[in-house]
Amino acid sequence: MELYAMEENELIKSFGYDVQKGLIKPEITDLSSKETQRKYNSYIDSIAAFKPREYQTSDFDDIKYEDFINLTIQIIEKIFGNIDIKAELIEFFNTIHCSNSPEILNGIALTIKDDKNKITRITEIPNVSKISSIVTIIHEFIHFHCHKMNMDFNKKTYYEEILSIYAEKMAASVISNLQRSPEFLRKIEETRLESIVWHYKVHPSELAFAIESYNEAKRHSKDPEFRKYMGIVENNLPWIKSPSRIKTVLQYKENLRASYGLGYLYAESLLRYYIMDPKITETAVRQTLVGDKTLKELLDYFDINANNGQVYDRVQQKLSILRRY
């Protein structure tokens, strides 16, 4: 993500400050027991074994701008129900920039606070001309809304993707039904699953290699070529010079990947409850979105947690369905 790449160092610093101030627990406490970790690792391995494909914007139909906006609003209003969010939607649409990225889920909603506590909100999505971007914009609207609400994540930054992935799944389902095309749903789901595989199976090795290579160059820093290499790495990864900052980065990355892994796991169960009983689930989710219920209370209400074997079964069932498409 272009915007994310620009802001990642600031996000990591902010994460580190919040950990120091006790606003964030850096440990993934949902996975604290060995048995839970075993179940979770098996879940991640099953996603990797599925070998999901990342789809591009070129794999989706074009859509007129007016239809794009109308369908986006229609789906958001379905999620929020009778909650009046018209003013918030207008504010949100004014924050949007298009990156023209070919990656369909390449979006981000940033809340930036300057030295005078002035808040600037920036949202980036690939485009407003492909139907797949409706899923992305709805995902990012949930982030935008939760930021404005200062939603309580119980000091767990890795909870921040649960509602946005749930909304993403809802959007993909609505559009798939409108188009009468299960292929649309499969492409969105596979792309999300591929991102989880990247976070768990690819990126950790990239980080480990970068740190190991830098430390090796440092041991030979008298050599001009190694010093030159160190300079290039430090320019791209300024945190790599400090062991304490490396620790913060690794904690941040662990929380980030858990936000997608647990986010998908929990969101799939929320979606299943919606399918079984739309009224109860819609009400509970809306109570959470307006702050009448915490996210933890929402999850506890449906007994959604990483210890419950049923949450993993639901994902396995989804993978079986996707294989048939």
Side-chain angles (χ1 to χ4, degrees):
M1 301 175 189
E2 293 175 17
L3 189 56
Y4 183 81
M6 246 185 350
E7 295 292 336
E8 186 179 32
N9 288 323
E10 293 304 315
L11 290 171
I12 291 168
K13 282 182 189 177
S14 177
F15 172 86
Y17 293 146
D18 286 346
V19 169
Q20 288 175 2
K21 289 184 286 188
L23 300 174
I24 289 175
K25 295 175 183 176
E27 301 81 16
I28 314 299
T29 54
D30 284 40
L31 305 175
S32 55
S33 78
K34 286 185 179 179
E35 177 59 20
T36 303
Q37 188 71 61
R38 184 194 65 76
K39 289 177 185 175
Y40 188 77
N41 289 343
S42 177
Y43 149 72
I44 295 296
D45 287 342
S46 69
I47 291 175
F50 181 74
K51 296 182 179 178
R53 173 184 165 186
E54 179 186 14
Y55 286 87
Q56 306 289 297
T57 55
S58 58
D59 294 311
F60 293 86
D61 292 340
D62 293 335
I63 187 171
K64 293 178 181 177
Y65 178 73
E66 184 180 350
D67 294 336
F68 180 96
I69 297 298
N70 288 339
L71 188 49
T72 295
I73 293 171
Q74 177 187 324
I75 296 170
I76 289 174
E77 287 181 341
K78 176 179 175 60
I79 294 168
F80 281 78
N82 59 1
I83 301 166
D84 185 4
I85 53 166
K86 288 184 177 64
E88 189 174 333
L89 277 171
I90 292 169
E91 181 186 356
F92 172 68
F93 285 131
N94 284 328
T95 71
I96 292 172
H97 300 263
C98 293
S99 65
N100 296 314
S101 168
E103 300 170 14
I104 62 169
L105 299 180
N106 191 347
I108 188 168
L110 285 176
T111 300
I112 303 166
K113 190 182 289 186
D114 66 16
D115 296 337
K116 297 178 181 178
N117 284 332
K118 180 185 175 184
I119 291 175
T120 302
R121 303 186 195 278
I122 305 172
T123 307
E124 188 174 85
I125 61 171
N127 56 61
V128 290
S129 58
K130 291 287 185 176
I131 198 164
S132 57
S133 289
I134 293 176
V135 176
T136 312
I137 199 172
I138 290 171
H139 178 115
E140 299 310 332
F141 177 73
I142 297 299
H143 282 311
F144 174 89
H145 175 78
C146 292
H147 290 167
K148 282 184 68 69
M149 289 287 297
N150 292 314
M151 184 170 284
D152 177 14
F153 293 108
N154 199 30
K155 297 187 178 182
K156 299 177 178 182
T157 187
Y158 58 88
Y159 270 17
E160 292 186 6
E161 293 292 339
I162 298 169
L163 290 175
S164 57
I165 293 178
Y166 169 74
E168 174 185 296
K169 286 174 173 287
M170 289 286 288
S173 178
V174 169
I175 295 169
S176 181
N177 289 334
L178 283 174
Q179 289 196 324
R180 298 180 181 177
S181 168
E183 284 291 308
F184 181 89
L185 182 64
R186 180 181 62 78
K187 289 175 182 178
I188 298 295
E189 289 280 349
E190 276 206 56
T191 302
R192 174 56 65 204
L193 291 169
E194 192 278 337
S195 75
I196 294 171
V197 174
W198 183 84
H199 277 288
Y200 276 93
K201 300 296 186 179
V202 179
H203 193 46
S205 298
E206 293 175 342
L207 282 173
F209 177 77
I211 294 168
E212 184 183 339
S213 300
Y214 178 79
N215 288 336
E216 180 64 23
K218 201 173 179 181
R219 286 190 283 271
H220 300 87
S221 58
K222 291 182 180 179
D223 187 310
E225 287 301 313
F226 281 103
R227 282 202 305 276
K228 181 180 177 183
Y229 175 77
M230 286 174 62
I232 294 170
V233 175
E234 289 169 1
N235 186 55
N236 293 324
L237 307 171
W239 48 265
I240 208 164
K241 295 182 285 185
S242 163
S244 63
R245 290 185 69 190
I246 289 174
K247 180 182 176 182
T248 299
V249 167
L250 294 179
Q251 286 179 331
Y252 172 81
K253 296 288 187 176
E254 182 183 24
N255 274 264
L256 185 62
R257 62 176 170 265
S259 74
Y260 289 108
L262 285 168
Y264 187 90
L265 184 69
Y266 293 172
E268 182 60 32
S269 275
L270 267 180
L271 182 70
R272 188 63 60 89
Y273 280 111
Y274 170 79
I275 292 168
M276 291 190 295
D277 197 325
K279 274 194 175 181
I280 288 178
T281 310
E282 283 176 345
T283 300
V285 169
R286 286 165 190 166
Q287 287 173 335
T288 306
L289 288 169
V290 298
D292 292 340
K293 187 191 291 285
T294 68
L295 183 54
K296 184 180 185 304
E297 287 171 338
L298 174 69
L299 297 175
D300 288 346
Y301 179 78
F302 290 112
D303 194 26
I304 297 173
N305 59 73
N307 298 313
N308 185 345
Q310 287 185 317
V311 301
Y312 301 100
D313 292 341
R314 290 166 190 141
V315 171
Q316 294 307 316
Q317 290 161 9
K318 172 57 71 68
L319 293 179
S320 296
I321 291 169
L322 294 176
R323 285 189 187 97
R324 294 201 297 269
Y325 285 167

